[in-house]
Amino acid sequence: MKRHTEYRLLGPTEVLDDGRAVALTGKGAAVLALLVLNANRVVPRTTLMDAVWPGESASARRNLEVHVSRLRKSLPSGEGGAEITSRGGGYLLAADPDSVDVNRFERMIESGQRALDERRHEDAIADLRAGLELWRGRPLEGLDDYAFAAAEAERLEDVRLGALEARFEAELALGRHQAVIAEIRALANAHPARETLRYQLMLALYRNGRQADALAAYAQARRHLVEELGIEPSARLRDLERAILQHDPALALEPPPASEPVEEPDPGATALRTFLLAHVNGYARYTRERGDEVGSALARTFVGVARSVATECGGSFVELRGDEALCVFGSARGALRAAVELQRRLRDASEGGGRFPLAVGTGLDAGESAAVEGGYWGGALNLAARLSAAAAPGVILATETVANVAGPVEGLRLGAPRRVALEGFGDPVRAVEVIPAEPLPPVPSSPWPRERRRRRRGLAVAAVVALVVLGAIAATVDQLLVGDGSGKGAIHTSGGSANPHLTLTAGTTGSSGATLVLRGTANAGPAYRSIVDVRLYAAGTTRGKVLQLWVAAVSAGGGRYQLVLKPRLRPGSYVAQASQSYGGGTGVVRSSTVPLAVPKEAAGAPDKHGRLTISAPTPGAAVSDTGFQVTGTDDPNPVAGVGYVQVIAFGGTDLRAKRVWASTPVRLGTDGGWAVGFGPALPSGPYTLLVRETDARGFITGLSRTVGFVWSG
């Protein structure tokens, strides 16, 4: 009777024999998983040994043979069963491809994707759901300690997320946006860097009549990308935000009938309202000092100018709210033009025979709002008011929403986005300054110049007093620690060793002499700090400004230290001095000063990375040896245990991408040579290697040039 054997990797690794689970051990499960992932293909013994027993070359072959023998006894045999055979230096697992759940999963996902491309949305959903239902948990669960299993689990998880995105696309095409919002939101929050999920969430929310929530989802995505990764959202996501702001008909589930022509909307005129708040700086004090009649005249002038400007630019004046004028527009472009024109006219307006005496700050934001008793209520109105209060006199600030909706506006430009801290808002708001192409009349000067001068004078006096106090403190500390300032070694004790010592020598290396080598002997023992500070001063003094400060670790055995580095220094003469504290910081010993010259050739010197080089692989080489080692040289390292190197690998040639492998740091040899075994579990393909040098504390002291090669291990 034919058996039915099933290999399940989409969850804990399992083998089912006619529905009954086969017992697997840890190492045996790892060997079987690697054979199943390569079913019907020969897997070399070396690959199995390196994957399951890395670094155990002596016993790995024997262990592999033992576990393969156990698997042959445990797995079902006969027709339909499992058969592991030895083939040409490796092992082969003969299995029906459909008996492996990973194969069935990927086949169903491919079928669903084809159906989606052909707009057979129901078929696509059925195939994608069937494939996703095969998952029982994290792939290869229980084998997370093995590099091959972790890499395969990560790949399968990415395929699963892609399948979910494809299913959501089909569901949205069928108008099921309300049913999938919760599921998309949960996945988007769990995977904030996947912009497709955020795009689908925004579209589902918008089609469900939740425009504000859709825009909030975009803001959340942008905040994560900018703050965590330092990048802006993709053009696709930005275009969707603009389309939502403009109520673009293309976002509707069904386009309007062809018989009904659709007018192209003005990018600046949307169903959203754009609010303009103009804030008169110092209005309350001005009225209090000059009387209500003067204040009322000022207000009438302000309202008259604001009303006429708003009407001319397609908006309306709503109300005067104390020292603020509120105007509302259906066009973001019109609102921006009105903000500039308002500034221009107020600076030219007459009030008692002169210009408008007070400066005005302006804020703009766009969003949904509700009409309330002749006015408006909404978050955009509140944000515009806060921006107007935060704007400097004569400055116009607009949110990025206004800038995106308006697009390019003739006669003005927008400054670079910047963060503005606003009262009542936890996080700073990103805003842009609106700058007219033609210069405006000057901003009115403050009616209270004496007070401003008094404030500046007070700040200057406080700064001088602070500098005097800091100078006195610095002088006192310098006298205590440095001594007479002659540059000779000085010892200040407080219960420390009777004969502490500290030496320092300085030199250069490299073809241009731009790489510094600082080394010496220090005090070792529990009473002394295991760190030496090396300070660099201008030539001739150790009492001036510290130009550079470096820290070196002291070796426990011989009490030696060494620094090899390439600082950014102007060509010229310097002096260096080392110091080491002891007695819990109660005492310090200093070395004699040593001169140091940086030659002119150092500027723009070609040896950017000193002598840290990669010897193997050579650039462009193809490597297939699983025992391959990355080798290279560095500056000689006579102080044992001070210098370390670590090899880092990036996929392809993009060093901005996440690294795919990093070696364990290894100590430099006394001759500067080093060798690191390359990761045999990495998939075949092009890689770029970079080597970094660190000291004993992990601080980076050097970088190599990159080397690209092709790995086919």
Side-chain angles (χ1 to χ4, degrees), residues 570-584:
R570 295 179 181 273
S573 300
Y574 303 89
V575 293
Q577 187 175 48
S579 63
Q580 183 185 27
S581 62
Y582 58 87

Side-chain angles (χ1 to χ4, degrees), residues 74-358:
S74 301
L75 295 175
S77 57
E79 187 179 3
E83 183 180 4
I84 300 177
T85 58
S86 300
R87 296 277 185 88
Y91 294 101
L92 179 144
L93 173 68
D96 180 1
D98 280 345
S99 66
V100 181
D101 61 353
V102 172
N103 296 338
R104 297 201 307 278
F105 166 68
E106 294 185 318
R107 177 171 52 79
M108 291 175 183
I109 299 308
E110 291 174 2
S111 175
Q113 190 63 58
R114 282 196 303 271
L116 181 62
D117 294 340
E118 297 168 3
R119 302 185 64 82
R120 294 185 287 110
H121 298 117
E122 291 288 5
D123 294 341
I125 292 172
D127 287 342
L128 292 167
R129 282 188 183 278
L132 292 166
E133 287 172 357
L134 293 173
W135 282 59
R136 299 171 291 111
R138 176 172 171 77
L140 299 162
E141 187 176 327
L143 302 179
D144 307 285
D145 293 337
Y146 300 97
F148 81 90
E152 180 65 12
E154 186 174 353
R155 184 190 73 84
L156 289 170
E157 176 63 20
D158 193 61
V159 175
R160 185 183 76 92
L161 289 173
L164 285 166
E165 291 170 347
R167 180 172 72 80
F168 295 146
E169 182 179 344
E171 300 274 16
L172 291 172
L174 294 174
R176 300 170 184 168
H177 38 268
Q178 186 171 3
V180 297
I181 285 177
E183 190 175 0
I184 298 177
R185 187 191 296 277
L187 281 169
N189 290 337
H191 304 278
R194 293 188 75 97
E195 293 194 23
T196 298
L197 288 172
R198 192 65 60 173
Y199 182 98
Q200 292 170 334
L201 176 60
M202 292 169 61
L203 185 60
L205 289 168
Y206 177 77
R207 288 181 176 174
N208 201 40
R210 299 165 61 181
Q211 182 190 22
D213 289 341
L215 294 173
Y218 173 82
Q220 181 183 8
R222 186 185 181 282
R223 184 162 53 250
H224 171 80
L225 293 173
V226 171
E227 295 180 358
E228 299 295 329
L229 305 177
I231 60 176
E232 290 288 341
S234 65
R236 181 173 181 242
L237 211 58
R238 296 197 304 271
D239 290 345
L240 177 61
E241 184 214 18
R242 176 172 294 189
I244 289 174
L245 288 167
Q246 298 172 356
H247 288 284
D248 191 335
L251 297 181
L253 187 60
E254 295 182 1
S259 59
E260 299 180 8
V262 178
E263 295 184 2
E264 288 292 329
D266 174 8
T270 74
L272 301 180
R273 295 182 176 92
T274 301
F275 295 97
L276 182 155
L277 265 293
H279 173 79
V280 181
N281 293 274
Y283 175 77
R285 179 177 177 180
Y286 189 88
T287 301
R288 186 175 63 252
E289 292 181 353
R290 287 164 174 77
D292 292 340
E293 289 186 5
V294 176
S296 297
L298 187 69
R300 284 194 299 271
T301 302
F302 182 48
V303 169
V305 175
R307 178 178 283 112
S308 62
V309 168
T311 303
E312 292 171 11
C313 294
S316 60
F317 175 84
V318 179
E319 60 180 340
L320 179 68
R321 311 192 313 176
D323 55 1
E324 294 178 339
L326 168 62
C327 303
V328 63
F329 299 81
S331 167
R333 290 180 177 177
L336 290 173
R337 292 191 183 103
V340 173
E341 185 61 23
L342 179 62
Q343 288 284 346
R344 188 185 308 279
R345 293 194 190 179
L346 284 175
R347 299 182 192 185
D348 286 337
S350 61
E351 187 274 321
R355 291 192 311 154
F356 194 79
L358 300 177

Side-chain angles (χ1 to χ4, degrees), residues 29-30 73 85 141 157 184 191 217 232 315 334 338 364 421-422 427 444 476 534 544-545 560 568 619 632 634 639:
K73 295 176 182 178
T85 58
E141 187 176 327
E157 176 63 20
I184 298 177
H191 304 278
E232 290 288 341
L364 298 99
L422 301 179
D427 296 328
T476 302
V534 180
K545 179 182 177 181
R560 290 177 289 178
R568 294 182 178 179
D634 196 4
V639 184

Side-chain angles (χ1 to χ4, degrees), residues 218 222 226 231-233 238 241 387 396-404 413-421 428-435:
Y218 173 82
R222 186 185 181 282
V226 171
I231 60 176
E232 290 288 341
R238 296 197 304 271
E241 184 214 18
L387 275 177
I396 305 170
L397 294 180
T399 62
E400 284 190 313
T401 301
V402 175
N404 290 335
R413 63 183 177 87
L414 303 177
R418 69 174 191 259
R419 295 178 181 274
V420 181
V429 174
R430 288 175 64 87
V432 297
E433 182 177 350
V434 181
I435 305 169

Side-chain angles (χ1 to χ4, degrees), residues 57 67 182 186 218 234 279 358 385 436 451 460 538 542 604 690:
S57 56
H67 282 282
Y218 173 82
S234 65
H279 173 79
L358 300 177
E451 179 176 309
T542 58
L690 175 71

